[in-house]
Structure formats: C-alpha cells, structure tokens
Amino acid sequence: MNIVETVAEVRNQVKAWRKEGLTVGLVPTMGYLHEGHQSLIARACQENDRVVVSVFVNPTQFGPNEDLASYPRDLQHDAALCESTGADLIFHPTPEEMYPKGFCSFVDMDVLTKELCGLSRPVHFRGVCTVVSKLFHIVQPDRAYFGEKDAQQLAVIRRMVLDLNMDIEIVGCPIVREADGLAKSSRNTYLSPEERKAALVLSRSIFVGKELAEQGETDAKKLVQKMTEIIEAEPLAKIDYVKVVDLMTMQQIETLDRPFLAAMAVYIGKTRLIDNFMMQAGGAVQ
Ligand code: PAF
C-alpha cells in the first residue's frame, strides 16, 4: 500500500488501474481511524477492485472556534489500519496541495445544510461539499463510502451528487458502536473518564427513541421530549439539538409518517458529540 501526497500521484495511480479495467472505491476520512472507518474501508474493499482512503483534516469545514488545531492525527496508525484492512492507496495531501494560494471556488448547498449541525456550524457543509467534490474529481471513484453517524453529511452528499450530476454511487454504512453503546468517533479521545461515562446518555437516548418509534409512536414532539429528558438528567451534558427531520430534506416534521432521522448533537464538557437513528415509517433503517 502506498501513501501519496499529491493530486498528480493519485491521478497517475488511478489512471493505471483504469487501464487494467479495475473499479475504484474511495473512503474520504479526516484520519485518526477507528473501527467505524474500518467498516467503510472493508465494505469498499468488498465492492471494488482497488480502494483509495483519503486522510485529510479539512480546514474549510471547521469554524473559527472549532477544534481544527487540536483534531487528533496519527498517520502511522492510520496506515497500519488501512493496510491490514486491504486498502491500496492513502491520499494524504497537505492543506496547500488541496487549497493552493488563490483558491476561491466553493461548493455550497441550500435547505439541507440549514438545519441540525448546519445551524451551529454555519460554514461546515460548504467545507465538506467543497473537499468531497475535490476528492471526487481527483480520484474519480465508482463508489464512495460514508458513515451513517454523520447522517446529515450523508444526505448532503447524496443531494450534491444528484444535483451536480456526479457519476458516483454513494454508499452509506451503519454506525459502529463501542460495547456499551457509545458511537465510535475520533472525538471520543477528548473525553475524560468521567465524561466518557456521561457520554453514554447519547446512545441511551437514541435507543429509547428508537424503541418508542418501533412501538408505534407517531408524534415527533413526544419522541424528542423523551430523548431530551434522558440527556437533561446528565449534569455534564448540554444539548445543542435533539430533532426529528425528514430523511431526504432534513426539514423538521411533526408526524412520523415518512422515512425520518432522529438526530442529536450534545456537548459533554467541551466535546461536541453526535448520534442518530433512521427509520422508514414503521420499520428501522438502522
Ligand atoms: O466525515 C468526515 O470525516 C469528513 O467530513 C469528510 C467527509 C472526510 C470530509 O472532510
């Protein structure tokens, strides 16, 4: 497995694979890989002849007061995980390679990005859409893999691919959890032991909400209320949002009569964590 830093090197490698008639999967990541990422890479390896993993902490998707500088990085660990899972190439560009001097073109989106995380992270999805578009143009994969933990990001990318006629299949992969329920996240490393325990309110609230919906609750307000109560009982937790939205449009709904996403962002101390479940009306998606 090779690690390359330049767009030209990725293009040369992918061109050579294409000449051999091979299919290519892309797993975009910001590194500090865990079992959640590993499940995306494993799925990409099953479904494609060759797999590229991008490892790039993308500055344009962080707001001014967010954790860009402190975001955890460990390329050696990432390379070992990619290699043992079967990836063929890591693309690890510098910020200057992705955003050279004079860079001023962005991909932005309305509606879907104005709810949930978009409300408290106003520049986030513009940065995500821009970097993911760039990665799609650089690698030109047949398929690209994203985790359902970032459910809004997945919906935004599906919409971008549709709206901008990108010929790439977007594959969403289920949330991977720790044994006690906490959704795997690179940001979990920020948590102190006490905060790590407190962070379990997110998954507890998700499981209760999911059970309520499976039992036939159709009132979105009641679902949100129950999920909120569980989080509010934890003194270290501060809610950013707990919402139920239409799975396609990310707009809030009142009745659970269509595919929906129940999503939350919660601060545990200074660490902002997200979790969610998705459901078709009357049956779980995940
Ligand atoms: O989900 C992530 O890790 C990032 O948002 C992504 C898709 C790699 C873009 O930087």
Side-chain angles (χ1 to χ4, degrees):
M1 189 197 66
N2 271 341
I3 303 178
V4 298
E5 289 196 351
T6 65
V7 172
E9 286 168 298
V10 179
R11 288 214 163 122
N12 284 341
Q13 178 59 87
V14 173
K15 228 182 248 170
W17 288 336
R18 291 289 183 204
K19 261 198 186 148
E20 291 179 57
L22 301 175
T23 58
V24 178
L26 169 67
V27 184
T29 82
M30 298 209 299
Y32 215 71
L33 306 180
H34 50 66
E35 289 90 334
H37 299 109
Q38 196 168 23
S39 73
L40 306 183
I41 300 168
R43 172 96 180 257
C45 290
Q46 276 169 19
E47 297 178 353
N48 304 273
D49 299 316
R50 295 290 181 269
V51 170
V52 180
V53 179
S54 61
V55 174
F56 178 60
V57 182
N58 173 36
T60 62
Q61 70 188 73
F62 288 78
N65 299 317
E66 294 181 359
D67 56 344
L68 172 62
S70 60
Y71 196 85
R73 293 156 167 93
D74 187 348
L75 185 62
Q76 231 183 336
H77 160 84
D78 293 345
L81 184 142
C82 287
E83 178 134 48
S84 67
T85 312
D88 299 281
L89 184 71
I90 291 184
F91 177 40
H92 179 56
T94 59
E96 295 72 32
E97 179 73 6
M98 290 299 271
Y99 300 109
K101 199 163 177 282
F103 183 95
C104 58
S105 304
F106 292 88
V107 180
D108 209 350
M109 187 180 293
D110 260 336
V111 189
L112 272 75
T113 61
K114 305 300 176 212
E115 260 292 347
L116 307 178
C117 290
L119 280 176
S120 43
R121 304 188 73 190
V123 300
H124 178 67
F125 288 110
R126 182 173 101 137
V128 169
C129 287
T130 302
V131 80
V132 170
S133 305
K134 284 175 67 72
L135 290 168
F136 285 177
H137 287 301
I138 294 164
V139 179
Q140 301 194 8
D142 299 281
R143 295 177 197 85
Y145 296 78
F146 297 88
E148 287 175 352
K149 183 165 86 65
D150 294 295
Q152 186 177 16
Q153 170 173 280
L154 180 57
V156 163
I157 288 166
R158 285 193 198 286
R159 187 76 233 181
M160 177 181 80
V161 163
L162 189 69
D163 286 353
L164 302 184
N165 306 98
M166 296 173 169
D167 190 15
I168 296 170
E169 183 188 338
I170 302 302
V171 183
C173 300
I175 295 178
V176 178
R177 296 182 181 279
E178 303 283 354
D180 59 7
L182 182 68
K184 300 243 182 204
S185 164
S186 306
R187 290 192 167 98
N188 291 349
T189 52
Y190 297 152
L191 300 169
S192 69
E194 195 191 356
E195 290 171 341
R196 171 67 183 73
K197 261 190 222 152
L200 287 177
V201 281
L202 279 92
S203 51
R204 222 180 294 138
S205 161
I206 287 294
F207 297 153
V208 167
K210 192 169 166 185
E211 201 178 319
L212 267 182
E214 278 168 352
Q215 284 166 358
E217 180 59 71
T218 55
D219 185 342
K221 255 196 208 132
K222 283 194 186 152
L223 205 70
V224 168
Q225 196 181 357
K226 187 73 204 163
M227 291 167 73
T228 302
E229 273 170 22
I230 293 171
I231 298 164
E232 283 178 345
E234 170 50 61
L236 292 182
K238 191 170 145 271
I239 292 175
D240 179 357
Y241 66 79
V242 178
K243 284 184 183 168
V244 175
V245 297
D246 179 297
L247 191 53
M248 297 292 286
T249 65
M250 297 287 116
Q251 302 306 295
Q252 281 193 77
I253 55 173
E254 291 188 354
T255 310
L256 308 181
D257 56 0
R258 69 200 91 173
F260 68 87
L261 167 72
M264 60 178 59
V266 177
Y267 286 93
I268 303 291
K270 286 199 172 121
T271 306
R272 186 176 179 278
L273 299 176
I274 56 173
D275 204 342
N276 71 71
F277 71 94
M278 301 175 199
M279 213 175 254
Q280 303 288 353
V285 173
Q286 130 204 335

